[in-house]
Amino acid sequence: MTDLSHEDLDGEESLQEMVELVFKRAVKKPHSAAVFAELCQHLSTVEVQSLTDWSASVSFRSLLVKHCQAEFRKNLDKEGISQKSGSCLEPVRDVRVIDRLREEQKNAKPSDQFLNTLRFIGELFLSKVLAEKAMHCCIRRLLQKGDGPSLEGLCQLLQLIQQDLELVTSKEVMDSYYNQLDFIAEKDLPMEYNPSDHPRASTIFLSKSQTDVAVANKRGKHDCVWSQQTVREKRKSLYINHHNQGPVRRKYSSCSTIFLDESTVSQPNLKNTIKCVSLAIYYHIKNREADGRMVLDIFDERLHPLSKSEIPADYEKHDPEQKQIYRFVRTLFSAAQLTAECAIVTLVYLERLLTYAEIDIGPANWKRIVLGAILLASKVWDDQAVWNVDYCQILKDITVEDMNELERQFLELLQFNINVPSSVYAKYYFDLRSLAEANNLSCPLEPLSREKAQKLEAIARLCDDIYKNLRKHTKKRSVSADNLVVVRWCPAIVS
């Protein structure tokens, strides 16, 4: 190949044309980028006489590096709103126009040309054609621009070259990149994708239940920025990853026998739900951020103790056991006669607080955070809510003024967003079931008896009466053959 190149090339112009041709083909066919990068590695030693300096020579590699720089800058300027148009935002008087342009810049999608260029540049680095310095220049430029297309391109570039780049780069430099990505992700994360608000966002406790902080590498956590599993994949693999190995005897339904547990999304089992919520809180505390976030005074048990007993000096250094959390939650639910649905809403409010207020739950504040979430959930969910003074009868050493202040600040930190959509409630319920199955906390399966079947039938009739009017609205006198939608209602027969 090198001999053929020497025979065909008669000068720098021909070598430049070859560089442009190879780069153009590699960008046009991204799946073959690695092959073109290997080709460039073989051609990197090819040299011809320079046009500007007859005593010097020009190599294929030097021309390729210059061409990569030019293409990278050209494609970067094309993505989103360019710096030139960005400067025109200053004289615009209408704030709505500025917000719209910035929103378009943030949500813009990168072009295939831009992503393919970054992919080929990454393959050239893996083939030792481009140096480490070139990669750092690209990463810094993409971080500096910071719009949607640039960050998506950066994530794909890091996903390709991360392992090789970490071998030749210091940990401090790589961590600085990851910290900047974390800061941008937290700053620009839309609130509608908050797990406690959006039904498609994965619950935080389910993610933390799969994390072991003792062995977790900080870089591994940052990989989630550009390679997250979907909610469905997490739920699918949860049982496989956490279930004890060995012979497992499970009960399966058949034509003659149907196995059911006592927990449904509309009527969860109280004891099992409290256990699962307590376990979710335990994982929140155990797998909190290593560097630690601030602890708000209103939740600090040193400043606002729940009992008169003396708090140890190293209280915040010892994580509570899951049994301790369960006893605390069970005591409040039993004394206040709260329902299982209230426990699920409590977990929703807890994760919403941690996200909105950007705090962590730890040994020093978990009791007051859980108490505030239960207090708010009971008032929102139950028709006959427990008064703040009633909690003072349960927790003997707390005052009504403290309870009122806790509720007020909790609401302010939630930005008074106490709405829990049914889709979010269902997501938390089924994720708690997945957590229970992974930790052997599931309700025992029992054969469906005639009494239970009659009870289910009565509930079905009740729901049928409730949604009778809804069915009337769905029926139409005529429908189009192109858009035929027929609502069919089939009763379930259990014998």
Side-chain angles (χ1 to χ4, degrees), residues 2 4 25 36 48 62 70-71 75 87 94 111 149 157 168 179 224 254 309 339 385 435 442 448 470 473:
T2 306
L4 179 63
R25 293 289 179 85
F36 284 103
V48 295
S62 62
E71 289 294 321
N75 285 279
S87 62
D94 194 346
S111 63
L157 178 63
V168 295
N179 291 335
C224 297
S254 62
S309 57
T339 60
L435 184 67
S442 301
L448 180 64
L470 179 62
H473 292 298

Side-chain angles (χ1 to χ4, degrees), residues 144-172:
Q144 183 180 6
K145 191 166 186 182
D147 58 359
S150 302
L151 294 177
E152 185 172 345
L154 173 60
C155 290
Q156 294 195 19
L157 178 63
L158 284 174
Q159 190 176 10
L160 178 64
I161 68 173
Q162 178 190 6
Q163 293 183 355
D164 289 54
L165 188 61
E166 287 181 349
L167 295 176
V168 295
T169 307
S170 63
K171 182 178 181 296
E172 291 74 15

Side-chain angles (χ1 to χ4, degrees), residues 410-424:
F410 203 105
L411 278 169
E412 289 180 353
L413 292 171
L414 290 185
Q415 302 174 18
F416 296 92
N417 180 14
I418 58 175
N419 179 45
V420 180
S422 57
S423 54
V424 172

